Structures are given as structure tokens and as C-alpha cells.
Amino acid sequence: MKTIVKYIVVVLAIVVSSVDAMADKKYPFRGEVLNGYEESVVRARCDSMDLQPIEGLWYYPEEEMTVMIERCEGTKLPEAQDYRIVLVDSEDVSLLPGTVIGYCKPTADARKYKVWIYGEQKLSILENLQACLGELSEDASLMLIKRNEVKMRVRMNFTRFLPTLLNGLSVTATNSNDVKFPDGFRKIYPKVKTKNGKVRYL
């Protein structure tokens, strides 16, 4: 009975992965590296653009990195309203400035975005886009990232032979009692402030 349950979990994991891959196929499988993302250059670029609320320089505390969110103009992506999330600075010295760490896409709700972030790092290469929801605060100074509440990890022991593969499978779920801290981005440039109830950039 346990073998059947494990088999069903494996099949479901493969199906879900296939659906995610189809949904994200317009984005590169690996994060590319772009030129011109030193912080001084990025700030000057922000000053010269008519920025949308989601655009600008953000700090990503969970990964200790500063990123630029900007429109994907001049790229091969099919929709002009896509945004890319590009690394500007990081505590992880193996990642180069200009590495694309993910993408954003607007939804019907002006404050909510579909967000894809690369979930795996192999040396200096990022891959495996993970989908989540990004929600901007009213003043566009924060974007909270909401991931799936239930995460299931499927681990396989590939040191075993194929006929006994299912015996080398383990399934774990996140503990619902764990403390959950907000995950997301904090805008650091340009700063925003409100005047007469309206948001404006400094």
C-alpha cells in the first residue's frame, strides 16, 4: 500500500512540474546575465525614466540582495508588460551583478503580480522558476511575496537501482506550526511619500 501511495505522489509531482514548465515556457530556463547593473548606473537610469509603481531598486532581505525591477523592453519576451528582477548587489559573491533572478507580470488587480523567481542555484547559474504572488503595498514601498502554504518535497535516492527507486523516496511537508515571517521586497530607490492621499516619487 505504501508503495502505491509513493507512486501516486511521484506521478503527481511530475504532472505539476510539467504544468509549471508549460506556464513559464516563455521565460528562459536559466537566469541570464545582463550588463550595466552597477548601483550608480541603475539609480541614474531610474532618474531618467518615467517609472511605474513596481519599478525601481528594491532590497530582498531573505536573500540579502539588492535588485532592480524594470520593464522587459527590447527583449524577445512576447508581452511588453512583463518585468524582470535583476540582481544589483548580493552577499552571495558567486552571483554576478546583472543576473536575472526572476520575472513579474501584472494581473487584473493593479496591486497584485504573478512573480516567478529562480529557485535553484548551481554555482553562479540560477534555474527552475518558482511561481508565487506579489502584492504591492498602497504606497508601492513594499511588495510581499506569498508562496504556496503547503510545500511538498519529493526526495529520491538515485544511488539505488531503478527497481527499488520507490523505496528510496521520501515525502515531507512544511510544519504549519513554524513561525512565518513576511517574505518580499522593500523599495530603496526612488523613495516614495504621500501627499494629500496620493503617492508621488521624490
Side-chain angles (χ1 to χ4, degrees):
M1 184 65 181
K2 289 182 179 180
T3 301
I4 295 174
V5 172
K6 290 179 180 179
Y7 178 76
I8 292 172
V9 170
V10 170
V11 171
L12 287 175
I14 292 171
V15 170
V16 170
S17 298
S18 299
V19 171
D20 285 345
M22 291 174 63
D24 304 335
K25 65 181 178 181
K26 69 178 183 176
Y27 299 117
F29 177 73
R30 292 185 175 88
E32 57 185 329
V33 180
L34 308 173
N35 294 321
Y37 283 86
E38 296 79 13
E39 185 166 342
S40 59
V41 174
V42 169
R43 286 176 179 258
R45 193 181 307 156
C46 288
D47 293 339
S48 66
M49 295 172 60
D50 183 16
L51 297 177
Q52 297 174 8
I54 194 174
E55 292 183 292
L57 203 57
W58 300 76
Y59 183 62
Y60 188 14
E62 285 71 31
E63 298 295 337
E64 297 183 309
M65 59 175 58
T66 301
V67 299
M68 172 71 169
I69 299 181
E70 62 182 0
R71 279 162 278 186
C72 293
E73 294 178 340
T75 70
K76 296 179 181 178
L77 296 182
E79 298 181 36
Q81 280 193 308
D82 285 1
Y83 301 86
R84 63 188 167 211
I85 308 169
V86 186
L87 177 69
V88 175
D89 188 34
S90 174
E91 292 294 318
D92 185 350
V93 295
S94 68
L95 291 176
L96 298 173
T99 301
V100 177
I101 69 164
Y103 296 90
C104 302
K105 181 181 178 61
T107 67
D109 187 327
R111 287 175 50 197
K112 293 183 179 180
Y113 293 80
K114 293 178 182 177
V115 178
W116 292 269
I117 296 177
Y118 289 105
E120 292 182 16
Q121 180 178 349
K122 295 179 180 178
L123 299 177
S124 61
I125 299 172
L126 299 179
E127 57 185 40
N128 189 15
L129 284 171
Q130 304 291 317
C132 44
L133 171 68
E135 184 170 358
L136 283 179
S137 60
E138 288 187 16
D139 63 357
S141 65
L142 298 170
M143 184 167 69
L144 295 181
I145 301 296
K146 299 179 180 178
R147 306 175 192 273
N148 292 334
E149 289 300 324
V150 178
K151 295 181 182 178
M152 188 173 291
R153 290 181 194 161
V154 179
R155 290 201 321 266
M156 293 187 215
N157 184 352
F158 288 102
T159 61
R160 297 173 183 258
F161 291 105
L162 187 60
T164 59
L165 178 62
L166 292 178
N167 293 328
L169 178 76
S170 64
V171 179
T172 59
T174 55
N175 187 347
S176 60
N177 295 324
D178 289 345
V179 177
K180 294 181 176 67
F181 296 99
D183 188 5
F185 302 98
R186 183 178 72 248
K187 183 170 278 185
I188 57 178
Y189 193 82
K191 293 289 186 180
V192 296
K193 73 174 186 178
T194 58
K195 184 177 182 181
N196 298 328
K198 295 182 179 179
V199 176
R200 73 177 184 87
Y201 289 101
L202 292 175

